[in-house]
Amino acid sequence: MAIREIVKYPAPILKQKCKEVVKFDQKLAMLLDDMYETMVAADGVGLAAPQIGEAVRVAIVDMGEGQEVIEMVNPVVTAIGGSEVEVEGCLSFPGLYGEVERPFFVRIEAQERDGSLYELEAEDYEARAILHEIDHLNGVLFDSKIIRVVDPSEFEEVDEESIETEQKEGEHQ
Ligand SMILES: [Zn+2]
């Protein structure tokens, strides 16, 4: 495993539509392991392969709190529902935070690292993180969806209860 360099905007690879994974081999397993290590080192909650320079349809999300890491290979959104506006960030856009509207609920179909197919349903912040990462695989970046840029200092101006939430929501993906 290795910590990889995170590709920053405006690198062209971030705007590419990524390629389907067809080989479920050791190289894919290594990519997923590198992505996980890189995400943890950068204190993110999600990472997409193009963010470490690989234009393939692979992304991960880690909600923490003892939850298993979600590994998504060739993910496809099969259903969405509701909508919610929350603050997002992105490891490829250091220092940029903004309010983005996304579905509250999502259902996806994806493959595991061994190629087996699975279905997953998620809500709220987890759904947001999954959709943010799948956007990356289509070359869609969150800055194009920001409806209001949020200064990080705004996180500190709110009361104690909100700080926890706001900081969580401001985490990088
Ligand atoms: Zn991102």
Side-chain angles (χ1 to χ4, degrees):
M1 300 220 288
I3 294 172
R4 307 267 290 263
E5 195 185 332
I6 292 176
V7 175
K8 307 289 194 318
Y9 179 82
I13 191 170
L14 295 174
K15 294 257 185 178
Q16 277 182 34
K17 191 167 160 50
C18 298
K19 283 189 183 148
E20 293 268 324
V21 172
V22 288
K23 277 190 199 162
F24 295 83
D25 54 7
Q26 190 57 31
K27 207 179 137 202
L28 175 65
M30 274 173 60
L31 173 64
L32 279 158
D33 291 343
D34 283 358
M35 285 172 63
Y36 179 73
E37 204 174 335
T38 303
M39 180 187 70
V40 169
D43 207 18
V45 299
L47 194 71
Q51 292 182 282
I52 58 164
E54 308 274 355
V56 291
R57 304 189 77 77
V58 178
I60 57 172
V61 165
D62 182 9
M63 299 308 292
E65 294 159 11
Q67 291 195 53
E68 235 177 275
V69 182
I70 301 167
E71 295 187 344
M72 300 180 282
V73 180
N74 301 328
V76 178
V77 175
T78 55
I80 53 168
S83 102
E84 192 174 47
V85 175
E86 295 289 356
V87 177
E88 283 184 26
C90 177
L91 290 173
S92 295
F93 290 83
L96 179 64
Y97 299 91
E99 290 179 344
V100 175
E101 184 176 6
R102 292 196 190 270
F104 179 80
F105 164 85
V106 68
R107 185 189 303 135
I108 64 158
E109 242 178 45
Q111 284 166 285
E112 310 269 9
R113 57 169 69 195
D114 66 1
S116 58
L117 205 63
Y118 71 94
E119 198 171 58
L120 174 82
E121 292 185 348
E123 287 184 349
D124 202 3
Y125 196 64
E126 187 176 28
R128 174 170 299 272
I130 288 169
L131 287 163
H132 177 114
E133 300 314 329
I134 292 177
D135 269 357
H136 271 296
L137 307 182
N138 295 318
V140 175
L141 302 173
F142 95 121
D143 67 319
S144 68
K145 296 191 166 179
I146 290 177
I147 52 180
R148 187 177 75 90
V149 171
V150 176
D151 192 283
S153 68
E154 285 186 46
F155 302 150
E156 288 139 35
E157 287 162 11
V158 286
D159 67 26
E160 214 169 76
E161 197 187 340
S162 309
I163 285 174
E164 268 185 28
T165 327
E166 290 282 323
Q167 281 180 341
K168 192 182 161 220
E169 285 160 1
E171 277 181 88
H172 296 95
Q173 295 169 20

